[in-house]
Amino acid sequence: MALPPLHSIRVFESVARLGNMAAAAVELHVTTGAVSQQIKALQGSLGVELFEKRGRHLVLTDTGRALQQRVAGALGEIHEAVQAVQSSAKQAPEEIELTLSLPPVEGVTWLATPLFRFMEESRAVKLKVIKATQFNQVDWRKADVAVIYGTPPWPGFWWRLLHGIRMIPVCSPQFLRGSLAIRNAEDLARHRLLHEDNGAQWQHWLAEAGYSGTVASDVYFEDFGMVLQAARDGFGVALSDEIVSARDLDEGRLVQPLSLSVPAVHNYYCVCTEGKRERPEVMAFIDWLMSTTQ
């Protein structure tokens, strides 16, 4: 039996190690579709299934795991052999440099863990992260891809919905007890409403809750991280997302006093210029970003 093309073996090793075709595509500097075709061709030539889908991840089958162990060892030996040959004029492997613009970290905590894992495992990719709160603050001279909390259209740019969110009220556990306990929407009138927009999101939530009264006061913060910190410290009630505030809710720093959730006025989008979208490594990285929310 003829050996499969060595390129497909290299693609298999990358996907097996990273557990994600999009991440492998970024590392190999090709499109996700090209990676998928190589894996299909390899499985076809061998007549076996090497991966199975579990949630957002690809998992090796028993056959795939056995092949991966042999392939990883063989590629390691090849790498050592090449290094030995080039020892007199050693060259660093070509790096792919990408710059990602993100909102303040409090708004994208749901992305932090997979992003750090990607930077740790994708050895050929040098990822730089910069910060921008709004679309018009993104430095597109530097950014290849941006995660933006807002509402399109953005003329001259390509975008895709990354994470559609639903907003829930969150507050300090102290607001579940005592004379100021929050048991229904009317009880919110006795508390400060914390927000990072012009109040539209709270107005939307209150309307969906059927509340038509007025609130005693509200407080505006430009930084969503300050909104959540004020809520943790008992200075008012914020609107957040179950994913964004998952850790705070799990560890008891914040609680959800009322069950109603409503669609957010804005959502998180993955955005890049039309020109940057032509680069295979950029589209592969976008595919990986999208895979983190599926």
Side-chain angles (χ1 to χ4, degrees):
M1 178 180 177
L3 285 174
L6 288 180
H7 179 63
S8 66
I9 296 292
R10 184 187 178 206
V11 171
F12 164 74
E13 187 281 331
S14 182
V15 175
R17 173 166 41 82
L18 298 174
N20 185 292
M21 287 191 184
V26 177
E27 181 175 85
L28 298 172
H29 206 170
V30 297
T31 65
T32 307
V35 171
S36 178
Q37 289 300 318
Q38 289 290 331
I39 295 300
K40 288 180 181 178
L42 179 61
Q43 292 183 142
S45 68
L46 296 176
V48 296
E49 293 293 323
L50 301 173
F51 296 97
E52 60 182 2
K53 186 86 170 179
R54 290 186 187 173
R56 295 197 296 264
H57 300 283
L58 287 175
V59 179
L60 288 165
T61 62
D62 290 342
T63 302
R65 190 175 299 108
L67 179 62
Q68 189 269 341
Q69 290 173 353
R70 294 290 186 92
V71 165
L75 289 179
E77 290 184 12
I78 293 173
H79 180 70
E80 290 176 3
V82 171
Q83 279 190 322
V85 171
Q86 296 179 333
S87 59
S88 60
K90 188 175 181 181
Q91 297 179 350
E94 180 184 355
E95 280 189 333
I96 302 167
E97 294 189 1
L98 292 173
T99 299
L100 172 65
S101 176
L102 291 178
V105 67
E106 286 282 5
V108 287
T109 51
W110 48 274
L111 184 55
T113 297
L115 190 61
F116 283 122
R117 185 178 297 120
F118 175 86
M119 288 189 286
E120 180 179 341
E121 295 177 347
S122 299
R123 297 170 296 188
V125 181
K126 182 179 180 182
L127 186 64
K128 180 178 180 181
V129 179
I130 59 178
K131 184 177 77 170
T133 301
Q134 300 173 1
F135 173 82
N136 59 10
Q137 296 174 336
V138 177
D139 186 348
W140 290 107
R141 295 169 301 178
K142 298 179 180 178
D144 295 301
V145 180
V147 173
I148 293 172
Y149 180 66
T151 303
W154 295 295
F157 290 82
W158 175 93
W159 63 86
R160 186 184 295 176
L161 179 65
L162 178 62
H163 175 36
I165 60 179
R166 297 185 65 86
M167 306 300 283
I168 58 172
V170 294
C171 62
S172 166
Q174 70 190 57
F175 291 161
L176 294 183
R177 54 185 181 270
S179 59
L180 296 179
I182 300 172
R183 298 183 178 86
N184 51 57
E186 286 73 17
D187 292 331
L188 292 172
R190 297 178 292 173
H191 297 275
R192 295 184 184 91
L193 301 185
L194 310 171
H195 58 87
E196 85 286 2
D197 61 5
N198 61 1
Q201 185 65 67
W202 262 117
Q203 293 170 12
H204 180 48
W205 190 93
L206 292 169
E208 290 293 318
Y211 179 72
S212 58
T214 58
V215 294
S217 62
D218 59 4
V219 181
Y220 166 80
F221 296 92
E222 187 177 70
D223 188 331
F224 185 60
M226 294 183 68
V227 172
L228 290 182
Q229 189 57 50
R232 295 183 194 108
D233 292 340
F235 291 111
V237 185
L239 281 177
S240 185
D241 171 31
E242 289 177 331
I243 295 179
V244 170
S245 293
R247 180 173 295 181
D248 280 326
L249 292 168
D250 288 343
E251 297 178 2
R253 288 184 294 270
L254 290 173
V255 295
Q256 180 182 349
L258 302 171
S259 62
L260 176 66
S261 68
V262 302
V265 173
H266 306 295
N267 286 294
Y268 286 100
Y269 290 84
C270 184
V271 184
C272 71
T273 65
E274 291 287 357
K276 293 280 181 69
R277 191 164 70 99
E278 300 301 319
R279 292 168 52 190
E281 68 271 24
V282 170
M283 280 311 299
F285 183 69
I286 289 173
D287 287 342
W288 173 81
L289 274 176
M290 299 300 299
S291 74
T292 66
T293 61
Q294 294 172 358

